[in-house]
Amino acid sequence: MTLKRVVVTGLGALTPIGNTYPEYWEGLKSGKSGAAPITRFDATLFKTKFACEVKNFDIGNFMDRKEARKMDPFAQYAMVVAEEAIKDSNLPLNELNPDRAGVIWGSGIGGLLTFQEEVKTYAKGDGTPRFNPFFIPKMIPDLSAGHISIKYGFRGPNFVTVSACASSTNALYDAFTYIRLGKADVIISGGSEAAVCEAGVGGFNAMRALSERNDSPQTASRPYDKDRDGFVLGEGAGALILEEYEHAKKRGAKIYCEVIGGGMSADAYHITAPHPEGHGITQVMRNALEDANIKPEDVDYVNTHGTSTPLGDIGEIRAIQRVFGEHTYKMNISSTKSMTGHLLGAAGGIEAIACIMAIQQSIVPPTINHFVDDADLDPKLNLTFNKAQQRNVNIALSNTFGFGGHNASIILKKL
């Protein structure tokens, strides 16, 4: 069969450095850090007292507060960015075939705050089981896609991928695959996460995964720096409208770029640690290049997983060198998590948007907070340290990897 072409026609973002996709992109270009002391709860007794929170956000500006109370923040974020992306795409909702319009979303954790609050309330009681009737619908990750589809009447493919920090890249790849196989015309895809709460920060602290640089939150996320000490927890959402090319062309849609391939793999090694030789990371990028039918030297920019952990950063760069060989020195590489923090299951959504805007504006966003070179990293690599760089980006690759050894990559191309 002849595979359909898939393009991106709409974007939406809610991030720690901007509450719309244009604001987010401006934050990336300027090297803005979203890290600051935690305001969601009293973090005085926690090892990590800062995070990359969404700022100046009021859900009442986007929906009726009564309806909002039926949703965990991760689902609220999903609704907000989906609406922005749909408006940005000028999708003619009344003219779409609803059976060929879908929602494929990603979230690594889902309603963690809801779960925490319900259990706390029960634990403070007399043992009588009193739970909010919306407890389960607010908690389960798939309700983000459910809410979006209900609002817009999309009756096509509808589900949420859960693969930790690879979740929304998996969602994008699934959406791309459904459309190219002719199973849908339009799919809203991306991801959302809202884990900045006691359980989220405390849980990651217990794993020793988070930076504890409490004296300097804004410089705490420092991928590829010698003194990196863990990731900074972020929150937010990113949405993309994926559309079959002829369908988009027929309606005169604005087209940001083409999705040309993707890949998935597993480390099959450890529940949290990356494979020391980067086998799964190497394979996922090779799978993506093969799927896109391009050569390593065709890629101009790699947006890395780059979380600012001692082991993870090195493993990914070594895998990139293995896959791209000498061309590694001719590419731009950067980690936008240095600015946004790590949005967990939503990371792939906002990082795909970073790649798309790099293609659109010929600007590679930086890896900020580089102070000390890491002797284990080749100094000839262009890791786009500290300042954005002008560059014609024809093809960009975005990597995301998750606990459990889940790896996902997506490749985007200028149309």
Side-chain angles (χ1 to χ4, degrees):
M1 66 178 293
T2 303
L3 295 176
K4 308 285 187 181
R5 294 175 69 185
V6 182
V7 294
V8 178
T9 60
L11 302 174
L14 176 62
T15 77
I17 60 171
N19 291 4
T20 64
Y21 92 82
E23 288 178 7
Y24 163 57
W25 176 238
E26 288 302 314
L28 290 180
K29 288 192 296 182
S30 64
K32 181 180 180 180
S33 171
I38 290 170
T39 65
R40 295 277 189 275
F41 61 92
D42 182 359
T44 303
L45 299 179
F46 286 72
K47 293 178 182 177
T48 297
K49 308 177 196 307
F50 61 93
C52 286
E53 298 175 331
V54 168
K55 301 164 187 68
N56 303 314
F57 174 77
D58 182 352
I59 190 60
N61 294 330
F62 299 92
M63 66 174 68
D64 179 77
R65 292 188 186 279
K66 184 178 179 181
E67 286 302 306
R69 284 195 292 271
K70 299 175 185 177
M71 301 179 197
D72 184 86
F74 93 97
Q76 295 174 5
Y77 295 168
M79 296 293 282
V80 169
V81 295
E83 181 176 0
E84 183 187 5
I86 285 175
K87 287 180 178 176
D88 183 52
S89 71
N90 288 315
L91 263 182
L93 296 174
N94 294 333
E95 299 172 20
L96 293 178
N97 179 348
D99 295 322
R100 294 187 57 80
V103 186
I104 299 179
W105 204 249
S107 185
I109 299 178
L112 184 60
L113 177 64
T114 292
F115 188 87
Q116 171 190 290
E117 294 307 305
E118 288 293 320
V119 171
K120 281 171 65 176
T121 299
Y122 174 67
K124 289 176 183 176
D126 60 4
T128 304
R130 295 186 182 93
F131 290 90
N132 189 311
F134 292 103
F135 174 25
I136 300 303
K138 287 175 70 173
M139 180 191 70
I140 52 179
D142 67 288
L143 254 292
S144 47
H147 282 300
I148 295 169
S149 68
I150 291 166
K151 179 175 179 178
Y152 297 105
F154 288 6
R155 299 198 299 256
N158 185 278
F159 58 91
V160 167
T161 58
V162 179
S163 47
C165 307
S167 295
S168 50
T169 302
N170 275 149
L172 288 167
Y173 188 45
D174 282 354
F176 163 66
T177 300
Y178 273 83
I179 294 172
R180 69 173 168 172
L181 290 175
K183 305 295 184 184
D185 298 323
V186 178
I187 295 179
I188 305 173
S189 191
S192 58
E193 205 79 90
V196 181
C197 61
E198 291 97 321
V201 176
F204 283 116
N205 265 159
M207 294 171 58
R208 298 183 178 178
L210 297 182
S211 169
E212 297 178 17
R213 203 177 297 276
N214 295 301
D215 58 338
S216 184
Q218 289 190 321
T219 68
S221 183
R222 47 179 75 184
Y224 314 120
D225 187 87
K226 178 180 178 294
D227 297 325
R228 62 192 180 276
D229 71 329
F231 72 81
V232 178
L233 186 60
E235 63 173 359
L240 292 79
I241 304 297
L242 269 57
E243 192 167 351
E244 193 272 321
Y245 174 62
E246 294 298 335
H247 186 275
K249 205 165 104 176
K250 184 177 179 181
R251 70 178 184 88
K254 163 185 62 183
I255 295 175
Y256 284 99
C257 69
E258 184 173 3
V259 185
I260 60 170
M264 295 183 285
S265 75
D267 283 355
Y269 172 70
H270 190 270
I271 59 171
T272 56
H275 193 286
E277 302 301 320
H279 289 321
I281 299 173
T282 301
Q283 193 58 45
V284 74
M285 288 186 284
R286 285 178 174 161
N287 290 346
L289 292 170
E290 181 181 359
D291 190 48
N293 194 28
I294 61 172
K295 299 174 183 177
E297 53 267 31
D298 294 327
V299 176
D300 301 297
Y301 169 48
V302 176
N303 185 296
T304 62
H305 186 57
T307 58
S308 184
T309 58
L311 293 177
D313 288 8
I314 294 289
E316 182 175 10
I317 292 298
R318 287 178 178 165
I320 289 171
Q321 290 178 291
R322 196 175 297 124
V323 171
F324 292 93
E326 285 300 309
H327 183 64
T328 309
Y329 302 108
K330 299 175 183 178
M331 300 189 303
N332 272 78
I333 300 168
S334 76
S335 170
T336 48
K337 288 185 180 73
S338 59
M339 295 172 275
T340 65
H342 191 355
L343 269 65
L344 309 179
I350 66 165
E351 288 161 17
I353 293 172
C355 289
I356 290 167
M357 296 311 296
I359 289 169
Q360 280 279 305
Q361 296 193 7
S362 300
I363 297 174
V364 175
T367 306
I368 68 167
N369 296 329
H370 180 71
F371 304 101
V372 183
D373 289 343
D374 187 332
D376 290 329
L377 290 171
D378 191 331
K380 293 182 292 182
L381 295 171
N382 185 358
L383 295 170
T384 322
F385 283 136
N386 296 327
K387 288 187 178 180
Q389 294 178 13
Q390 291 279 341
R391 181 193 180 123
N392 180 51
V393 179
N394 187 51
I395 295 178
L397 181 150
S398 179
N399 281 336
T400 49
F401 316 132
F403 287 165
H406 313 295
N407 306 308
S409 299
I410 198 85
I411 300 180
L412 305 152
K413 181 181 179 181
K414 185 180 293 183
L415 195 64

